[in-house]
Amino acid sequence: DLVLRLEESQRHQLSDVRNLLVPTPRGLQVPLYQLADVDVINGPAQIQREDAKRRIVVGFNVRGRDVKSIVQELQAKVEQQIPLSAGYYVTYGGAFENLEKATGRLLVAVPVALALIFILLYFAFRSLKESLLIYTAIPLSAIGGIYLLALRGLPFSISAGIGFIALFGVAVLNGIVLIAEYNRLRADGENNLLKVVLKGTKTRLRPVLMTAFVASLGFLPMAISQGAGAEVQRPLATVVIGGLLVATFLTLFVLPILFILFENFSFKKMKINKKIVSIVLLIGLSFEAYPQKVSLNEALAIAEKENLSIKKDNLLMQYYAKRKTAGTDLPLTTLSTEIGQINGPTLDNKIGISQSFVLGSFAKQKQIYQQEWQLAQSNQNLDRLELKRNLSELFYRILVLSKQEQLWTVTEAQYLHLREKTRLSLEKGLINIVESSAVELQYGALQNKLKVLRANINEQKSLFQVLMNSTIAYEPEAASLLYPSKQLQENSNHDILHPSVIMAQHTLDLAKANLKLEKGKLLPELSLGYSNQSFRDIDNKRYHVFEVGIGLPVFFGVKKKILKAEQYKIAIAENELDQQKQRLAMELKQLKTRWTAQHAVVENYQTLQLPKAEQIAKAAESQYLKGEINYLEWVQLANQVLQVQEQYFEALDELNQTSIALDYLLSK
């Protein structure tokens, strides 16, 4: 763009620029406004540049999540949803850029620190065996650091990584203390390894505990800090405290056992055996803190504390509880004063106070507050019951779908094995292309079903987590896939005490209370007053006056219309109550009929069809291995088994949802 600037004196007004004369090749001068549009427009206040390129910055703060995961999500969405023109590109800086740089440095610092620790241990003991033995304190301490981070809901960050470096250095001190004591006892002539371990551990128990607790207590203020810099201090201190506590406990038990094992086996003769594999698997499984298993009752308890709808209902209950105890709202009290020549030429003064109120209005207003509170309470009970229903539906649906995924994953492995065999058989000419294609099609169809099933599971888990309003990914866990429904009542004509019915009843009671309040406004209004006046011209004394008044309603037209409207409101509430009872009774009857049919179907699957399907699967596999049936026949039988399993899980899910709906209607 071309930028021209005039001197300050030549651009006081817009007309100064419009009337600038532009010379033409023939010598004429033409005003600028005849050649161009001259206007005042708004432009950018600042154009940022970096490396001779324009830069647009979009900044935001991250709260409640770690920086890396949100930037990764942002990168994926930008690539999919924001098409950029040629020459435009996106870079991510700020805290994420610092994180990437710090991560790169951490990838160098951690291995260097671990290597230096091992080198120093070797120089101290001059033994590769004992150095490796003390080195086991590092993974043991890492277990505690990771567990405590997970329990506090803190993500792994750079400060946590630095905490691990500090933790590794302090954790090996316990091992050094124990191994040094073991070596001293052996140098004194004690050859029994068991006695060496027991006596050495007992002797060095206090130093080991002091090493851990002094460092842990020193980091405790950082772990619970809430002020400036707490987001950096908390992960670091959490890692050190958790790692030292767990490492101290495990070192006192694991290190003596490993010391005995290391002394009985040399490295040259040592091979991978069951003991080593068990230890490695135990350590590996200990790192997995998520997902956390949760029962239905535990999930309901968490949801009742954290669900946003329940929190809103609790606030409303507190609001109406305060209104209920607020008492009667009296009209304004009138204070008056007069000064002047009231009774003669001398100035007199008069002060007075008066209060008015309607007879019977206090009790009626209090009754309205009481009905509003009861209505809010019934609404809270209804929301809790609906939360329980929705959470139970998701809980058992996830259980059923997860079990279905497990079975289908096993079937997928079988098809994969069969697919590999058919490919080899086709290459050798033992089967034709039709049999091979049938297996390929069946395997592809199963894979597609698994993809849809897993996507459905992830969706249900996301909804489950939203209802619980928790950042922790909980995994439903129950002893049975069948929802433990309540015993159905034989008499379907009993009174339904569902919260929705109670809520409709309270709505009716509130409408009746409003009608009583409006009728009460037709009653006379009483007023009481008192005044005190001076009479200086008579005897220079003050006199008391008491006043009682009554206000009578004269114009009834508007009030009668309001009363008629309130009566219609009562009729609407009564109709809503009857309709709610009728709807629930009809729905309860339909659900009982549906539950009976679905329960029979599920029992038929469990007692008859599933065992037969399992027999068919085993027989088909045996006949296929013996060569009694070909590939196509095996695929057909396996497909039948798969269909029976799919139909069973669908029937089980429908029965669970019906049982949950019945419990919802029968709850009080």
Side-chain angles (χ1 to χ4, degrees), residues 334-480:
T334 303
L335 297 174
S336 61
T337 181
E338 296 180 14
I339 186 170
Q341 297 172 340
I342 303 175
N343 303 295
T346 306
L347 291 177
D348 285 314
N349 59 77
K350 179 182 179 182
I351 56 175
I353 182 172
S354 62
Q355 176 68 57
S356 62
F357 55 90
V358 178
L359 293 175
S361 63
F362 301 154
K364 296 181 178 63
Q365 186 65 50
K366 192 172 183 179
Q367 186 179 6
I368 287 180
Y369 290 156
Q370 178 71 21
Q371 293 299 330
E372 288 178 344
W373 178 79
Q374 291 180 350
L375 182 61
Q377 188 178 36
S378 60
N379 182 65
Q380 183 188 43
N381 294 335
L382 181 60
D383 285 347
R384 285 181 176 175
L385 195 58
E386 289 180 349
L387 174 64
K388 179 182 177 181
R389 175 182 180 176
N390 296 332
L391 200 67
S392 301
E393 289 177 350
L394 290 171
F395 186 92
Y396 278 92
R397 180 164 290 156
I398 293 172
L399 286 179
V400 172
L401 293 177
S402 299
K403 184 63 176 179
Q404 186 177 358
E405 182 194 15
Q406 292 177 7
L407 292 179
W408 283 10
T409 303
V410 174
T411 306
E412 182 192 25
Q414 294 176 349
Y415 271 98
L416 183 62
H417 179 66
L418 177 63
R419 180 169 169 260
E420 190 65 23
K421 293 187 67 174
T422 55
R423 185 181 63 81
L424 295 175
S425 300
L426 181 63
E427 292 177 356
K428 295 179 180 180
L430 300 178
I431 61 174
N432 55 34
I433 190 65
V434 176
E435 294 176 339
S436 177
S437 299
V439 175
E440 290 286 348
L441 289 174
Q442 190 67 18
Y443 178 71
L446 181 59
Q447 277 191 320
N448 292 333
K449 286 185 176 182
L450 268 173
K451 289 179 182 178
V452 174
L453 180 62
R454 286 165 180 162
N456 192 10
I457 292 175
N458 292 332
E459 181 182 356
Q460 300 300 319
K461 287 182 177 180
S462 298
L463 295 173
F464 186 73
Q465 190 171 352
V466 168
L467 281 182
M468 296 180 67
N469 192 29
S470 173
T471 57
I472 301 175
Y474 287 105
E475 185 77 22
E477 183 181 42
S480 173

Side-chain angles (χ1 to χ4, degrees), residues 130 185 209 224 360 454 478 527 533 577 592:
E130 293 180 353
L185 291 174
L209 294 178
I224 61 177
R454 286 165 180 162
S527 62
Q533 183 175 349
L577 177 60
K592 285 183 177 181

Side-chain angles (χ1 to χ4, degrees), residues 438-550:
V439 175
E440 290 286 348
L441 289 174
Q442 190 67 18
Y443 178 71
L446 181 59
Q447 277 191 320
N448 292 333
K449 286 185 176 182
L450 268 173
K451 289 179 182 178
V452 174
L453 180 62
R454 286 165 180 162
N456 192 10
I457 292 175
N458 292 332
E459 181 182 356
Q460 300 300 319
K461 287 182 177 180
S462 298
L463 295 173
F464 186 73
Q465 190 171 352
V466 168
L467 281 182
M468 296 180 67
N469 192 29
S470 173
T471 57
I472 301 175
Y474 287 105
E475 185 77 22
E477 183 181 42
S480 173
L481 297 179
L482 191 62
Y483 177 77
S485 59
K486 297 178 181 178
Q487 185 177 2
L488 299 178
Q489 302 181 20
E490 297 295 333
N491 184 12
S492 60
N493 297 321
H494 65 284
D495 293 335
I496 299 178
L497 298 178
H498 193 264
S500 61
V501 176
I502 299 175
M503 187 174 175
Q505 181 63 52
H506 287 318
T507 304
L508 175 60
D509 294 339
L510 180 60
K512 291 179 179 179
N514 280 323
L515 177 61
K516 291 181 180 179
L517 181 63
E518 292 297 331
K519 286 182 178 179
K521 293 180 181 180
L522 297 175
L523 296 176
E525 179 179 340
L526 294 180
S527 62
L528 301 175
Y530 165 78
S531 62
N532 185 283
Q533 183 175 349
S534 66
F535 287 91
R536 293 185 179 181
D537 288 336
I538 300 176
D539 52 6
N540 200 21
K541 293 183 180 180
R542 304 190 67 85
Y543 293 86
H544 306 280
V545 178
F546 294 93
E547 178 185 357
V548 177
I550 183 171

